[in-house]
Amino acid sequence: MKIMVTGGTGYIGSHTAIELIQAGHEVEILDNLFNSKESVLDKIAEIAGTRPVFYNCDLLDYAKVLEIFQNGKYDVVLHFAGLKAVGESVEQPVRYYENNITGTVNLLKAMQETGVSKIIFSSSATVYGDAGAILSEDSETGHGITNPYGQTKFMIEQILRDICVADSTFSATVLRYFNPVGNHPSGLIGEDPNGRPNNLMPIVMKVATGEIPELSIFGNDYPTEDGTCKRDYIHVVDLAKGHLAALEHMKPGFVPYNLGTGKATSVIEMVKAFEEAAGRPLPHKFAERRAGDLPELCANPAKAEKELGWKAEFTVADAMRDTLKFLGKE
Ligand code: NAD
Ligand code: UD1
């Protein structure tokens, strides 16, 4: 298949591009390089053997997006492009709504104009808001979302639902990621955000390299075994393979899947896993709770396993090993 990957030079998009190329698909990438580097394309080529055609393009530039689609004749779109920093989205809501919503609407318009009727969208467990600790696809979405970033994911899901109502041939597969970690086992590509990170693993990586002196663990008085929050951390290569499985099983309509492992790990367990892989301590301290954090979030991944034949295979220990390799510390 000929596949357009928006945001394909980013963290999850680049890992997915590798899996797609290795499975024999033709991949083209559109990205404005806001949060990624063009050199990732050479690494994809090194790992997968083919350098994807690349368009340095902003989804907000509709004329350019349309031109790319008119020439591209794509079978399907994998849509990763978006801004994703939760705290920043609270400070700059208009920028987040414009980039993520208007960008997606432009993409959908270009797809409609050029007859592309299949999309796989990078959604997030954040759409479940405060629905509970163990989440299935039929758990409530949209209630208790605490930030504009999460709202954009929920709103884009709604836009895709509406298109599926209007057009019964349209396929919108929505992948709700839990917490992606790790990187390609080659160590050639990984999470390399521009600017100061907010998520746990990019911060752990900066503590490991000495760029940040210590990890602040946000809260140790939660109602969990060790008092720190638990999350479902999924290796990014498993996540990438989930996209391939979703692509192979696409069907018309709005179809959401959780991509998670079904196992929750606490922050302290993550620190210990890193220390074991690295063979040295990771400087850390306990700090105040972070506003908006829930004690425990975990996927029920049964639907993806049943319908897509996909299951996460890597462990948190594998993610730590690969992270160290990416950092050049192994
Ligand atoms: P990333 O920032 O590494 O990749 C996103 C890419 O999109 C970047 O390369 C960026 O330059 C590009 N981009 C942003 N706005 C654009 C625009 N207007 N036009 C063109 N390109 C644009 O992020 P990621 O971690 O790879 O996430 C990919 C997708 O998965 C995002 O939609 C994100 O919200 C979603 N997601 C990520 C996580 C996570 O923890 N990493 C969790 C759940 C969902
Ligand atoms: C966060 C977002 C979520 C988004 C997801 C993307 C919030 C409230 N939620 O989820 O909307 O979809 O990122 O991956 O921002 N932690 C520390 N110290 C740190 C950083 C994190 O202790 O310096 C802890 C957090 O309290 C949390 C865990 O590590 O318990 C994971 O945090 P993070 O990587 O930010 O992910 P989420 O909060 O699950």
Side-chain angles (χ1 to χ4, degrees):
M1 272 191 266
K2 187 166 180 189
I3 304 170
M4 162 51 76
V5 180
T6 76
T9 42
Y11 173 46
I12 305 168
S14 58
H15 285 85
T16 304
I18 288 167
E19 297 300 323
L20 295 171
I21 295 167
Q22 287 177 336
H25 295 291
E26 184 183 350
V27 171
E28 297 198 350
I29 288 177
L30 178 161
D31 201 297
N32 65 0
L33 300 177
F34 172 77
N35 199 33
S36 55
K37 300 179 181 71
E38 199 166 348
S39 56
V40 166
L41 297 162
D42 298 326
K43 311 281 187 198
I44 294 174
E46 203 176 329
I47 297 166
T50 306
R51 192 181 201 273
V53 169
F54 176 64
Y55 301 98
N56 185 343
C57 173
D58 194 315
L59 283 176
L60 296 179
D61 183 348
Y62 177 63
K64 198 165 168 184
V65 174
L66 181 60
E67 194 189 324
I68 292 167
F69 271 74
Q70 279 165 340
N71 295 326
K73 310 218 173 345
Y74 303 108
D75 297 305
V76 54
V77 172
L78 267 63
H79 179 33
F80 296 90
L83 297 175
K84 61 163 189 176
V86 171
E88 192 180 68
S89 80
V90 175
E91 288 154 19
Q92 304 173 23
V94 175
R95 179 166 162 245
Y96 267 69
Y97 286 117
E98 180 179 43
N99 190 81
N100 292 3
I101 304 288
T102 308
T104 301
V105 169
N106 283 346
L107 176 68
L108 291 165
K109 265 166 55 184
M111 287 173 64
Q112 254 174 9
E113 279 294 312
T114 57
V116 185
S117 61
K118 291 180 177 166
I119 187 167
I120 297 181
F121 172 60
S122 298
S123 191
S124 166
T126 196
V127 299
Y128 292 118
D130 56 7
I134 299 176
L135 300 154
S136 303
E137 289 79 357
D138 51 12
S139 300
E140 188 185 358
T141 59
H143 184 266
I145 298 174
T146 53
N147 56 80
Y149 163 75
Q151 293 291 357
T152 68
K153 292 294 174 196
F154 178 63
M155 288 177 189
I156 293 167
E157 286 202 5
Q158 188 57 46
I159 293 168
L160 295 174
R161 279 180 212 270
D162 292 342
I163 298 173
C164 291
V165 169
D167 176 357
S168 61
T169 67
F170 195 84
S171 302
T173 298
V174 166
L175 302 180
R176 296 176 179 152
Y177 310 156
F178 281 69
N179 291 60
V181 290
N183 50 268
H184 195 268
S186 64
L188 288 172
I189 57 168
E191 188 162 18
D192 190 13
N194 298 333
R196 194 187 159 86
N198 302 294
N199 293 121
L200 180 62
M201 274 313 288
I203 292 173
V204 165
M205 288 158 76
K206 287 203 183 293
V207 175
T209 57
E211 284 168 77
I212 296 177
E214 61 186 346
L215 169 72
S216 292
I217 296 179
F218 298 142
N220 62 346
D221 57 353
Y222 283 99
T224 59
E225 293 85 343
D226 63 24
T228 63
C229 290
K230 295 176 82 174
R231 294 289 180 271
D232 185 338
Y233 296 96
I234 175 166
H235 195 295
V236 69
V237 173
D238 277 328
L239 199 59
K241 288 183 173 161
H243 290 74
L244 194 60
L247 182 70
E248 284 160 1
H249 292 83
M250 275 191 100
K251 55 186 178 197
F254 177 91
V255 188
Y257 293 104
N258 284 343
L259 293 187
T261 69
K263 182 180 183 301
T265 305
S266 74
V267 184
I268 285 182
E269 287 168 339
M270 289 295 280
V271 170
K272 284 191 183 144
F274 185 89
E275 290 180 334
E276 257 168 51
R280 65 190 164 89
L282 184 84
H284 61 271
K285 65 172 183 197
F286 293 112
E288 291 295 298
R289 288 184 177 195
R290 181 174 68 177
D293 274 344
L294 295 168
E296 180 166 354
L297 292 174
C298 189
N300 174 347
K303 185 182 177 199
E305 188 176 350
K306 185 162 171 260
E307 293 185 15
L308 306 178
W310 170 90
K311 197 172 179 252
E313 284 165 5
F314 292 106
T315 61
V316 159
D318 294 325
M320 297 306 178
R321 179 203 61 213
D322 295 335
T323 299
L324 285 158
K325 196 158 190 186
F326 179 58
L327 291 174
K329 299 275 174 193
E330 197 191 49

